[in-house]
Amino acid sequence: MLADDRDEGDSDAGGFRPLAELLLALRFQTRLPIPFLRTLDPPPLARAMRFFPLAGAVVGALTGLMLVGAALLRLPPLLAAIVAVAGGMLLTGSRNEDGLADTADGFGGGETREQRLDIMTDSRLGTYGTAALVLSLMGRAALYQQLLMLRPLDTVLLLAGVAAFSRALAVDLLWATRPARTEMVMVYPDRPSRAVTLFALFTGGAMVLAAGAVFIAPEAGMMALVAALATTAGLRALSMRLIGGQTDDVVGAAQVLSEIAMLAALAASIG
């Protein structure tokens, strides 16, 4: 994606600190207890975003383990999928699902740019947000159920790849799209650099491409990649038109919607 108003001279000043950046990415993306983080000098979040796909892969793998574990306990497939969806939300604190709901409320309920932004900052959940949240959870559970047709390890690794690339696309959206309102208090205080974004996209893209090609069919990974890119591009275009940029909520919505798009493409490829 092309960037809006980006400084081409931005760099990763301060050096590459993979362990500290990975721990910070895990701390930001999950609710897991992260050891040693307080003893490290934390790097800027904008640099740690290069490891968002790896943190996402951890979330996806753990969610996959919950899914196949529930199935191995002979729970009905739909109930196993619901357990995995709920477990994944607990792992992440449901931050991205909250962003999806706020985005749906703002885009659906506001008539002007300012109204939409005001609605998105309101903590109350409206009709559009409720509908978007319920439909996304139902869709994810149905798609998880379809993945249970695969071998357990295949299911776990596919969910890891999907979760990884959806986080990479969130990083790309932050880099490629200007903030809708710079005076707002942002969860993401700084935007990532081009190098960080390309690292994240390459890492996450390679994971979902390889997983789809190896565990389903050669074209499955590419279909998932295209579906996720198209979904994110569509949301970005809508966000630019309705509010003039991105917000934390839009970034969270992009992660959820691109993940569902990839799951749908993969599920459609399962014969």
Side-chain angles (χ1 to χ4, degrees):
M1 296 184 183
L2 296 177
D4 297 320
D5 304 327
R6 292 296 284 145
D7 180 3
E8 298 300 328
D10 61 4
S11 64
D12 296 323
F16 182 49
R17 300 168 54 203
L19 177 59
E21 291 175 11
L22 177 58
L23 291 176
L24 183 58
L26 284 167
R27 174 68 176 272
F28 189 84
Q29 290 286 327
T30 74
R31 291 296 181 266
L32 296 172
I34 307 301
F36 314 124
L37 186 61
R38 292 185 178 182
T39 65
L40 296 173
D41 179 24
L45 180 62
R47 290 213 306 271
M49 287 180 194
R50 78 177 94 227
F51 286 111
F52 274 18
L54 293 181
V58 172
V59 172
L62 291 174
T63 302
L65 288 172
M66 286 185 277
L67 177 62
V68 300
L72 290 173
L73 290 174
R74 299 188 180 278
L75 293 182
L78 180 56
L79 182 56
I82 291 172
V83 168
V85 170
M89 293 176 68
L90 288 174
L91 278 173
T92 62
S94 306
R95 171 181 289 159
N96 294 325
E97 286 79 9
D98 181 68
L100 173 65
D102 287 342
T103 299
D105 275 335
F107 287 8
E111 296 183 359
T112 67
R113 173 181 178 274
E114 290 303 320
Q115 284 180 352
R116 295 179 189 114
L117 288 170
D118 288 343
I119 291 171
M120 291 167 72
T121 59
D122 191 335
S123 61
R124 292 172 295 182
L125 188 61
T127 302
Y128 289 102
T130 301
L133 187 58
V134 170
L135 289 172
S136 69
L137 297 178
M138 290 173 59
R140 189 177 291 177
L143 293 167
Y144 281 5
Q145 186 177 358
Q146 181 75 358
L147 292 183
L148 285 173
M149 296 175 62
L150 303 173
R151 294 178 300 180
L153 181 61
D154 297 355
T155 298
V156 171
L157 294 179
L158 278 168
L159 287 176
V162 165
F165 191 54
S166 64
R167 267 76 177 179
L169 289 173
V171 176
D172 179 68
L173 187 62
L174 281 166
W175 173 73
T177 313
R178 63 177 176 266
R181 184 183 287 175
T182 55
E183 70 272 17
M184 292 174 65
V185 177
M186 304 291 287
V187 173
Y188 304 98
D190 297 305
R191 293 161 72 187
S193 69
R194 174 183 292 181
V196 164
T197 303
L198 291 176
F199 185 96
L201 287 172
F202 177 81
T203 303
M207 287 183 185
V208 75
L209 275 173
V214 171
F215 303 127
I216 299 181
E219 68 278 8
M222 182 57 68
M223 290 175 59
L225 199 75
V226 171
L229 289 169
T231 300
T232 305
L235 180 61
R236 179 181 188 267
L238 184 64
S239 184
M240 290 295 297
R241 182 168 70 85
L242 294 181
I243 59 174
Q246 50 84 7
T247 68
D248 302 333
D249 290 326
V250 173
V251 173
Q255 188 279 316
V256 174
L257 294 176
S258 63
E259 185 169 286
I260 292 173
M262 283 185 280
L263 289 170
L266 293 170
S269 302
I270 297 174

